[in-house]
């Protein structure tokens, strides 16, 4: 692995861990639960937020494992694009940067794509 690939991989995993563990599971950013409540309903929003957070932590573990990295990158891109499209349409008022959040999501998608499909030298083997 190239050094830049490895650094970006750790950075990408850190984004998933931070959002999953700190923002959702530990509820340090209550806005995330508000987003879930608005989209999926209030009844089980805390439980659903925790489950989403745990899924994000699992994504980070998958990233760090190096297992099926292309499938992982495709999953990340699909999840981030879907999640941000829904939030852009349904709850832009709850997003940290409003509709501008979609720009940051797009940049994250580009970083994931670039890291896996350009920098990952394993694909040449």
């Amino acid at each position: 692995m190239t050094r830049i690939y490895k650094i970006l991989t750790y950075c990408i995993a850190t984004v998933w861990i931070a959002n999953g563990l700190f923002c959702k599971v530990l509820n340090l950013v209550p806005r995330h639960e508000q987003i879930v409540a608005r989209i999926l309903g209030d009844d089980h929003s805390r439980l659903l937020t925790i489950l989403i957070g745990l899924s994000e932590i699992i994504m980070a573990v998958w990233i760090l494992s190096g297992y099926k990295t292309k499938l992982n990158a495709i999953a990340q891109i699909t999840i981030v694009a879907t999640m941000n499209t829904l939030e852009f349409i349904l709850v832009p008022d709850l997003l940290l940067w409003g509709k501008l959040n979609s720009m940051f999501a797009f940049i994250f998608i580009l970083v994931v794509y670039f890291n896996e499909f350009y920098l990952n030298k394993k694909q040449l083997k």
Side-chain angles (χ1 to χ4, degrees):
M1 278 196 268
T2 67
R3 184 179 172 106
I4 295 171
Y5 173 78
K6 197 177 281 192
I7 291 168
L8 279 178
T9 298
Y10 288 130
C11 289
I12 291 166
T14 300
V15 169
W16 287 100
I17 289 171
N19 278 290
L21 178 61
F22 299 114
C23 296
K24 294 180 181 81
V25 174
L26 297 177
N27 201 27
L28 297 179
V29 183
R31 180 176 37 79
H32 288 271
E33 187 175 339
Q34 293 171 339
I35 292 168
V36 171
R38 181 96 60 89
I39 294 173
L40 300 174
D42 282 326
D43 293 343
H44 304 287
S45 62
R46 182 69 199 127
L47 174 61
L48 291 171
T49 303
I50 290 170
L51 292 174
I52 292 166
L54 291 173
S55 298
E56 291 176 346
I57 294 166
I58 291 168
M59 177 64 79
V61 171
W62 183 13
I63 292 165
L64 295 173
S65 77
Y67 180 73
K68 295 196 182 246
T69 58
K70 287 180 187 25
L71 177 61
N72 178 276
I74 292 167
Q76 287 183 72
I77 290 166
T78 302
I79 290 164
V80 171
T82 301
M83 175 186 68
N84 280 276
T85 300
L86 287 171
E87 291 171 348
F88 182 88
I89 294 167
L90 300 173
V91 292
D93 57 304
L94 292 176
L95 300 176
L96 184 58
W97 295 291
K99 292 188 174 187
L100 192 59
N101 258 41
S102 59
M103 181 188 71
F104 295 105
F106 183 68
I107 291 168
F108 184 75
I109 286 170
L110 287 178
V111 169
V112 169
Y113 180 86
F114 177 76
N115 196 49
E116 182 54 37
F117 296 100
Y118 182 75
L119 291 180
N120 187 357
K121 300 302 180 192
K122 290 190 300 187
Q123 68 190 4
L124 299 177
K125 292 182 181 179

